[in-house]
Amino acid sequence: MVQKTMAQSRPVAIASDQSAIPVQIAGGLGGPDIEVVVSTYVVKTAFTGASVGDTVTCTQILDTSTSPITSDTIWRNQSTATDFTIVPSATNLTLVGSNALTNAELRAAPVPVLKGQQSIFDCTIASGQSLSAGVDLGVTRLVGIEIPATFEPSTLTFQASVDNSTWNNIFTSGETSVTASPSRRIVVAPADFYGIRYIRVRGGTSASPTTAAADRILKLIAEA
């Protein structure tokens, strides 16, 4: 079985005659268990083949079939896309730490899940139009709409799309609609908009649309 893991480590000295060449990892039954450990550094003191600020990686290929044995080590300047022919000195490098939580940190306390976090999207019905442009809600779901101080339609209806190209009117038992009035925040039923990523808002109904006298910008409130 081939195993690949990522970890942080200090530079490992290798003999100068060990070349940094690609390693073919064997697999299948009876083959070695291989772990690949990649450490990332930033150059703090320039040296041959590297400038200050360059990103350097050390890739160790370990055979863990019995006890871990380093079968190869590859030092590479990722900023210049070149491999080093010698092992860089640790004094010239700064190890890049990880921001990830350790296993112990993950188990120490429950990870909080933020519910009800809101995202606000501008939705414009252009002058002379009844339908807005498409709005990408991403992974959120529509829960409310804020109506501007000047607004003509008394009813809003909606269209949905799976690709932001082909649009269909939204229906539940009938055409999904809400009552609109200027300077009002409307609370909508989230269940009516479940699974809808791309949405358009219409002034009026599909049978009787209402055009905007000027650009009207609605605020769509959505929650994850």
Side-chain angles (χ1 to χ4, degrees), residues 72-183:
D72 208 345
T73 303
I74 303 170
W75 285 90
R76 183 172 179 81
N77 187 331
Q78 297 293 347
S79 298
T80 61
T82 55
D83 292 338
F84 292 104
T85 57
I86 60 172
V87 178
S89 171
T91 60
N92 296 325
L93 304 173
T94 298
L95 181 68
V96 177
S98 172
N99 293 324
L101 296 177
T102 65
N103 182 58
E105 290 170 332
L106 287 170
R107 294 175 182 274
V111 177
V113 177
L114 298 178
K115 294 183 178 180
Q117 188 169 3
Q118 293 185 342
S119 298
I120 310 298
F121 302 88
D122 283 346
C123 176
T124 302
I125 300 178
S127 177
Q129 302 296 314
S130 59
L131 267 171
S132 73
V135 176
D136 184 357
L137 299 179
V139 297
T140 63
R141 190 189 309 182
L142 186 67
V143 296
I145 304 171
E146 285 194 353
I147 309 297
T150 303
F151 197 69
E152 293 82 16
S154 59
T155 301
L156 295 178
T157 54
F158 309 90
Q159 288 191 336
S161 174
V162 297
D163 58 6
N164 204 23
S165 177
T166 301
W167 296 88
N168 291 290
N169 297 318
I170 299 177
F171 280 77
T172 47
S173 55
E175 187 168 31
T176 302
S177 64
V178 296
T179 301
S181 294
S183 301

